[in-house]
Amino acid sequence: MADLTPEQLTELKQRLLDRYNHLRRDIYDELKKIGREEDFKDLAGEVHDPGDASVADEIFEANIETINTLALELRRVEEALTRLAQGTYGECIACGEDIGYPRLSVEPDALRCITCQERFEKRQPVRPTTL
Ligand SMILES: [Zn+2]
């Protein structure tokens, strides 16, 4: 376990749990949106020509993108909670060094120290699609 006080751990865990519940609710709401056909038809309107249909597709895809982004964050928060339970929370998954409280307090679900995170993001210039 990284060098965190019990108070810091409790605080970070609480924030992770709050975020976890919040994300689950958001994802559920988004799924409900696309699960209801009437809402989808309202957004798209009556489809008169292929142009209208593609507007509908865009709305649908934007929603999927939102869900993907939320699901990705949920996975990261889940991973952090698992690591808390395992006692490896706060250690960088890439180099094993302590991530440190200053960084964790900004980003409780951080999995890498700042050095490794920058290296990781450079490898994925568009946006991260994995943990
Ligand atoms: Zn590292």
Side-chain angles (χ1 to χ4, degrees):
M1 181 70 79
D3 193 16
L4 297 164
T5 68
E7 290 78 17
Q8 288 171 338
L9 274 174
T10 306
E11 180 225 314
L12 291 168
K13 184 179 180 182
Q14 192 51 54
R15 285 176 54 197
L16 283 166
L17 286 171
D18 287 349
R19 190 72 194 131
Y20 183 75
N21 291 325
H22 192 90
L23 281 165
R24 280 175 57 114
R25 212 164 41 230
D26 283 355
I27 291 171
Y28 179 74
D29 287 347
E30 291 296 327
L31 284 173
K32 222 165 56 179
K33 267 189 230 163
I34 55 171
R36 289 169 59 181
E37 224 182 337
E38 295 93 316
D39 290 358
F40 182 64
K41 250 192 273 171
D42 283 343
L43 285 170
E46 291 290 311
V47 177
H48 297 296
D49 60 50
D52 284 355
S54 74
V55 170
D57 285 348
E58 269 170 38
I59 294 166
F60 189 74
E61 270 164 28
N63 196 288
I64 292 291
E65 188 116 334
T66 306
I67 292 172
N68 275 339
T69 306
L70 291 169
L72 187 66
E73 191 181 346
L74 183 70
R75 238 167 58 197
R76 229 169 36 222
V77 171
E78 254 173 0
E79 174 87 356
L81 285 167
T82 304
R83 291 166 61 75
L84 252 172
Q86 290 170 343
T88 55
Y89 178 74
E91 292 166 14
C92 171
I93 60 168
C95 71
E97 293 293 318
D98 284 359
I99 295 171
Y101 183 71
R103 173 158 161 73
L104 288 170
S105 70
V106 178
E107 203 182 324
D109 62 348
L111 295 174
R112 296 172 185 81
C113 68
I114 193 69
T115 312
C116 294
Q117 185 63 36
E118 279 168 5
R119 208 173 294 155
F120 177 75
E121 279 169 13
K122 245 178 248 167
R123 282 212 318 267
Q124 305 198 42
V126 183
R127 62 167 173 261
T129 52
T130 57
L131 281 174

